[in-house]
Every structure is written in C-alpha cells, then in structure tokens.
Amino acid sequence: MTANIGPFPKQDAMRIVIVGGVAGGMSAAARARRVDEHAEITVLEQGAYVSFANCGLPYHLSGEIAQRDDLLLHTPDSLAESLNLDVRTGHRVTGIDRNAQKVTIQSGDDTYLLPYDALLLSPGAVAVRPPIEGLEAVEALTARGLQVHLVELADQVLPPLDAELAPLLADELAAHGVDLRLGVSAQTVTPAGTMPVTMGGAIRESAKVRSPGAVTVTLSDGATLAADLVIVNVGVRPASALAVEAGLELGPTGAIQVDGDQRTSDPHIWAVGDAVEVTHAITGARIPVSLAGPANRQGRRAADSICGRRTTPQAAVLGTAIVRVFGLTAATTGANQATLRRAGIAHEVVHIHPGHHAGYYPGSEQVHLVASFAPDGTLLGAQGVGRAGVDKRIDILATAIRAGMSADDLAELELAYAPPYGSAKDPVNMLGFVAQNVLDATMPQWQAQDLDEAMATTLILDVRSRSEYAEGHLAGALNIPHLELRQKLDKVAESACGRTVSVHCTSGVRSYLATRVLLSEGFDARNLSGGWLTLKAFHPNL
Ligand SMILES: Cc1cc2nc3c(=O)[nH]c(=O)nc-3n(C[C@H](O)[C@H](O)[C@H](O)COP(=O)(O)OP(=O)(O)OC[C@H]3O[C@@H](n4cnc5c(N)ncnc54)[C@H](O)[C@@H]3O)c2cc1C
C-alpha cells in the first residue's frame, strides 16, 4: 500500500481577521494557529507594536526593567516565522461591513477592504489604565527620584480595597515622600502664561500633559500644586466604537455583549478583553473587567470557538488583582464589602493579622487579611495587604472562591508548611477558623464601623496589657488584661450593668479568648473583628 503522505492542498482555508494585536487578540491568533494549521490569520494593529507587555510598563518607568525592548515579546516577523501569522502594524480597522463580511482598513494614506469568515475584536479600552488606580505609576515616578503629589477624589487610595486596608497603603505612600491629597479633585491645570485648562471637576479625567515649564494644578479645596508633569488617570471605557458602528449589541455599561463562547450578536464576530462584558462571579452583574488574565483566556476560548472546537463555558470573573505599592503588596479577589452591600448580599466579614510564616522563624511579616462569607459559609471575597505572603494567600483564596469553597473548606485546606514558608495553621486556615466561629455563634463579633453604637450602648472592655492601653484607648473603656479576666468578672458585671460587653485587644486573638470566657459566664459579649489594628485603620484619628 502507498502511504497517503502530504503535501495536502489548502482547501477552503478559513479567513480569520483579528482587530488588536496585544493581550486578547494575540492570544486568539496564536491559539487559532495551534488548532488550525491552514487558516489564514491576519492580525490588524493600529499601533507600532504587537504582543507587548503593557503590564510591565510601570516597571520600565521605574527603571527596574531597564530596556524598553524587553517589553516587546514578539514582532510581526517573529510571529510570521513561528506561527505563520500575517501581522500588520500601523493598520487601523475603521469599519465593519457585516453583510459582505469585510473590514475597512486604514494604513497611512491607503484604505483597503479585507474579507473574513470569522472576525475577532480585541480593541481594548479607550484609555487603558492599571486595574488598581494607577499607583504603580506613582511608585515608578518616585523611584525615579521625582517628587510626586497624588490627588484622589475618593476619601481613600485604591477604592476597590476595603476602607480598613487602604490606610496601610496611604501610610506607605507618605513614608516614601508621596504627598497624598484625598477627597479632592483637580479643577484646573494652568500652563505658564496661558488660561486654565478645566479638568471637569474630577481627577479621573484623561489627559497627559507634559509642559515645557512648570504648571499649576488647582484642587477643589483651593490648594495649588506646582508640577512639571501631570498624569491624570481615567476610568476605563471599553473601546466599543467599532462595534457600535457595526450595530453589534452592547450591554448597559457600553461594553460589547458576548455569549459564553465570546461570540457577539453577529454569529461571524467574536469579541474579547477590555471591550467586552463579563459576568461578575459573586454579584452576577454584567460588567467590563480590564485585566490581562481574563483577556488572554477569552482570546483562547474565542479561537477554539472560531475553529469549531469544544469550548469550556466562560467562567464568571472574580476580578483578582494585585499591585505593589513600594514595600507593600495589596491584592483582592471576589467582591469587596462595598460591592456586597450595594448588591444586597448578606455576609459576615472577618479580619485577621497573622504572620506570613511561623513567628519564631526570622523575618515573619504581618499579613492583613479581610474575607467575607455568606451566611451558609461560602467565601465571597478576600483582600490582603502586607510586605510578604499576600500574593500566595490571595491566589489560594481566588481558587477557593472559584471552587465554591466555604469557611469549613478553608479550615481544612492542607497547605505546604515549613517555618520559612508558612505556619502549621496557615493564615488561610485561620480565616476559615475565625469564620466558622462567627457563623456558628461561637464568637459573636462587632465591626470597626459599629464603633459609635458600641461606645454609646455597650461596655467597651479592652483586654490588652496596661502598657498597650496607656499608649491609646477608647474613651470610657474598661481595661482588664485578658489573663486577669477570670478573677475580675465581678468588675465586668458591675461596669456592664446588663449591657453587652464589646471586647477588643490588638488583633482579635486575646479578645476572642476573653469573649469565650465572658459568654461561658453568662455575659452578652462580642469580639471586635480585627481588633485595635483594624479599628485604627478604619478610624485613623482615634
Ligand atoms: C500600564 C498598564 C499596566 C497594566 N498592568 C496590569 C497588570 O499588572 N495586571 C493585569 O491583569 N492587567 C494589567 N493591565 C491591563 C491589561 O493590560 C489589559 O486588561 C489587557 O491588555 C486587555 O487586553 P485587550 O486585548 O482587551 O486590549 P489591549 O491589550 O489593550 O490591546 C488592544 C489593542 O487593540 C488595538 N486597537 C484598538 N482599536 C483598533 C482598531 N480599530 N484597529 C486596529 N487596532 C486597534 C490597540 O492599539 C491595542 O494595541 C495593565 C494595563 C496597562 C496599560
């Protein structure tokens, strides 16, 4: 028998046209090639580069990534050579003729049409910014030796973070010389010798102004800042203009609507990345999420769908994100407390401040963790701030949310342990233990937000040492160090006069023990979640 060996003719090669040559678009192109050797794949990118690491830009700005070219992962030539892709930079898609299945392309002075069988849109956002409020830029500029003023309309930095964690970052910024102005907006920027440029009343307007000389930025509180460079951050807006013009369906947020396969309302057009709506895993809301991970995974899924392969259904998005702020790391996954409140989702919040590894091993750093649980124990969201170990915990917690895990599951997670790496009871286990205690009423708790109510209607029992108490305490708080509590229950009863006893210590551990003693002795007692550390972060003026 004669073997039927190639070369095979390229019959009916599918024409795949991709708009946007960075995260989502290039992932789709590479995957499409891997699953269909014969497809004609054309990537159209309006900019000068494709497949560049925009997430690395802040680190180039700071000088940590010295060579700009290190951010360029591929060139059109390398992509032609390795993946047989037709990559055209400086080619902007200006229109889509859905009936004829052709895109209009502008390249320099030339305009031409390109037919497609499948069109994939990955145009990103109109003004892309880092997922967590541009702080990376502040750090990078400070690292370059520049004096940086950070003006933020919200009353905290990093608004996606819970309010009790954000002050840790504000302190870190201040410690590195950043002049932080919270709760104010930039009103005008006045270049030397010209009229003011109105900024629309909010710092989150988009512009990058480089002036040859000094400019003056006037803030809403009347203060003025002299600057040579003004970077004004913008809220991300999906780049959906092309889709709008083509009559594709958009969601209420203005992002492109897609199904679980990334297919738009046109069966021949797919869309991915910052430009599309996703389902939030906790609230179920349809929102755009501008993160590199989802964009890359969506590109892969879209390519599989285009090439007729089995696709995994699009997973709802957790918005897992991480940012470095000088020596601190801040990270988040799932829903934060504000989102849960807005969505009307019942939850219990727990705060812990353990070491990132065994305390007796040198170099243990405190990790500040906050997690929210549904009444049935399901983990809904988590956040962390610290100098070490935050990335590991947030990724475990993101995986736990994706797996639908509960407080019981976290308590039982078997995680790698040796003293330099963790603790026999890892901080993630601890979150589970604390949440179990809260959910089954072993440890009723009160929150830092409840401070006014607690001071007005309950006895505040401070079980820290006398020296800790002397360094700062709540007005009217009764101080009984926790080791003396069993001998001084009469004093507690006398002071409480039948009121609830709101107990606290520094981090919540000693006050948990004290709360258990009080509950066992018939008191109505509750423990402050996260202790004095969380209270001080929430009420910095205490
Ligand atoms: C400085 C910076 C730092 C970031 N850091 C992180 C991080 O640390 N972690 C993280 O998860 N995410 C980060 N992001 C966000 C992440 O990069 C984006 O979410 C991701 O790149 C989105 O992928 P995309 O394919 O949708 O869009 P993009 O990667 O932005 O690609 C869109 C491309 O489409 C091109 N385009 C648009 N319209 C047309 C048209 N009509 N014709 C031709 N081409 C067109 C654009 O020029 C652009 O190159 C960062 C973003 C920036 C800018």
Side-chain angles (χ1 to χ4, degrees):
M1 254 176 86
T2 311
N4 186 14
I5 297 173
F8 298 103
K10 264 173 64 174
Q11 284 173 345
D12 300 329
M14 179 164 42
R15 295 164 302 180
I16 302 173
V17 171
I18 295 174
V19 182
V22 189
M26 203 46 81
S27 275
R31 175 68 176 174
R33 170 58 69 231
R34 287 193 292 270
V35 298
D36 186 342
E37 179 58 21
H38 296 141
E40 284 176 15
I41 305 171
T42 309
V43 180
L44 302 161
E45 168 55 54
Q46 65 187 3
Y49 305 100
V50 284
S51 197
F52 61 88
N54 43 16
C55 302
L57 279 172
Y59 308 96
H60 175 54
L61 196 58
S62 69
E64 284 169 273
I65 299 174
Q67 299 304 322
R68 190 167 166 268
D69 284 357
D70 288 346
L71 301 177
L72 303 177
L73 307 178
H74 284 286
T75 63
D77 284 348
S78 71
L79 289 162
E81 190 181 28
S82 62
L83 288 166
N84 189 22
L85 300 177
D86 177 359
V87 178
R88 305 178 190 180
T89 53
H91 289 237
R92 191 162 82 87
V93 175
T94 57
I96 305 169
D97 182 339
R98 288 168 53 192
N99 291 328
Q101 290 186 214
K102 286 180 181 161
V103 289
T104 308
I105 298 161
Q106 180 103 42
S107 173
D109 293 336
D110 296 338
T111 301
Y112 65 98
L113 298 175
L114 189 69
Y116 63 83
D117 298 310
L119 175 65
L120 183 136
L121 304 177
S122 188
V126 170
V128 179
R129 62 168 187 172
I132 307 184
E133 296 293 318
L135 281 175
E136 283 171 348
V138 170
E139 185 195 317
L141 294 172
T142 307
R144 285 282 187 177
L146 301 181
Q147 165 64 46
V148 177
H149 306 276
L150 176 59
V151 181
E152 167 58 54
L153 182 60
D155 55 9
Q156 67 169 72
V157 292
L158 286 170
L161 270 197
D162 286 332
E164 57 268 46
L165 289 181
L168 299 165
L169 302 172
D171 290 349
E172 184 74 359
L173 288 163
H176 285 82
V178 175
D179 170 35
L180 191 57
R181 310 288 178 110
L182 294 176
V184 290
S185 60
Q187 297 285 303
T188 60
V189 174
T190 317
T194 66
M195 295 296 288
V197 179
T198 299
M199 301 304 291
I203 189 69
R204 296 183 192 175
E205 301 292 314
S206 177
K208 183 171 177 180
V209 182
R210 186 188 283 277
S211 87
V215 297
T216 303
V217 181
T218 305
L219 309 183
S220 55
D221 62 0
T224 56
L225 303 171
D228 295 308
L229 172 70
V230 180
I231 298 176
V232 185
N233 218 335
V234 64
V236 171
R237 191 154 56 84
S240 48
L242 209 52
V244 172
E245 221 174 90
L248 298 177
E249 281 180 24
L250 303 186
T253 60
I256 305 170
Q257 263 188 19
V258 290
D259 66 12
D261 285 341
Q262 305 300 138
R263 203 187 290 249
T264 69
S265 52
D266 182 316
H268 300 284
I269 304 179
W270 286 252
V272 302
D274 289 359
V276 306
E277 273 187 2
V278 296
T279 302
H280 191 276
I282 305 300
T283 64
R286 296 285 290 169
I287 49 165
V289 166
S290 52
L291 289 169
N296 277 274
R297 293 193 298 277
Q298 290 162 13
R300 188 176 197 274
R301 185 181 314 107
D304 279 353
S305 172
I306 288 168
C307 297
R309 289 172 67 92
R310 180 189 71 86
T311 55
T312 51
Q314 186 190 42
V317 169
L318 294 169
T320 307
I322 191 161
V323 65
R324 191 185 70 188
V325 181
F326 296 104
L328 284 179
T329 300
T332 178
T333 185
N336 64 14
Q337 294 173 56
T339 303
L340 291 171
R341 279 195 294 273
R342 271 198 307 274
I345 297 174
H347 61 282
E348 287 283 354
V349 183
V350 302
H351 302 80
I352 60 171
H353 311 276
H356 87 290
H357 62 49
Y360 61 82
Y361 185 83
S364 177
E365 296 281 0
Q366 199 164 38
V367 188
H368 306 273
L369 289 171
V370 183
S372 299
F373 296 85
D376 70 357
T378 305
L379 179 62
L380 301 173
Q383 308 196 338
V385 172
R387 297 193 182 280
V390 171
D391 52 346
K392 163 168 149 168
R393 271 62 192 219
I394 216 70
D395 280 345
I396 296 170
L397 292 164
T399 308
I401 298 178
R402 169 71 67 236
M405 287 188 181
S406 66
D408 291 345
D409 297 316
L410 296 190
E412 289 298 329
L413 274 184
E414 187 181 327
L415 302 169
Y417 163 61
Y421 303 104
S423 299
K425 285 182 278 193
D426 189 87
V428 172
N429 298 130
M430 295 300 298
L431 280 176
F433 299 150
V434 176
Q436 283 177 323
N437 286 340
V438 170
L439 292 165
D440 69 9
T442 301
M443 188 190 71
Q445 60 175 1
W446 59 293
Q447 297 289 347
Q449 300 86 307
D450 306 330
L451 180 62
D452 289 347
E453 173 261 329
M455 289 185 67
T457 65
T458 73
L459 170 69
I460 306 285
L461 176 63
D462 184 335
V463 297
R464 295 176 300 163
S465 68
R466 288 191 183 79
S467 58
E468 288 172 297
Y469 179 83
E471 280 174 21
H473 58 264
L474 294 173
L478 174 66
N479 180 220
I480 301 178
H482 84 289
L483 295 178
E484 300 172 18
L485 183 62
R486 288 189 178 88
Q487 289 74 48
K488 296 190 174 167
L489 291 173
D490 289 351
K491 175 79 178 158
V492 178
E494 188 187 313
S495 304
C497 274
R499 291 177 295 165
T500 298
V501 183
S502 297
V503 193
H504 84 82
C505 64
T506 301
S507 68
V509 177
R510 286 171 288 175
S511 50
Y512 163 50
L513 303 176
T515 301
R516 286 301 304 155
V517 170
L518 292 171
L519 288 170
S520 304
E521 297 297 334
F523 288 88
D524 177 16
R526 58 184 190 170
N527 184 20
L528 173 61
S529 180
W532 186 253
L533 286 171
T534 298
L535 197 70
K536 275 290 281 180
F538 205 86
H539 304 280
N541 296 326
L542 272 181

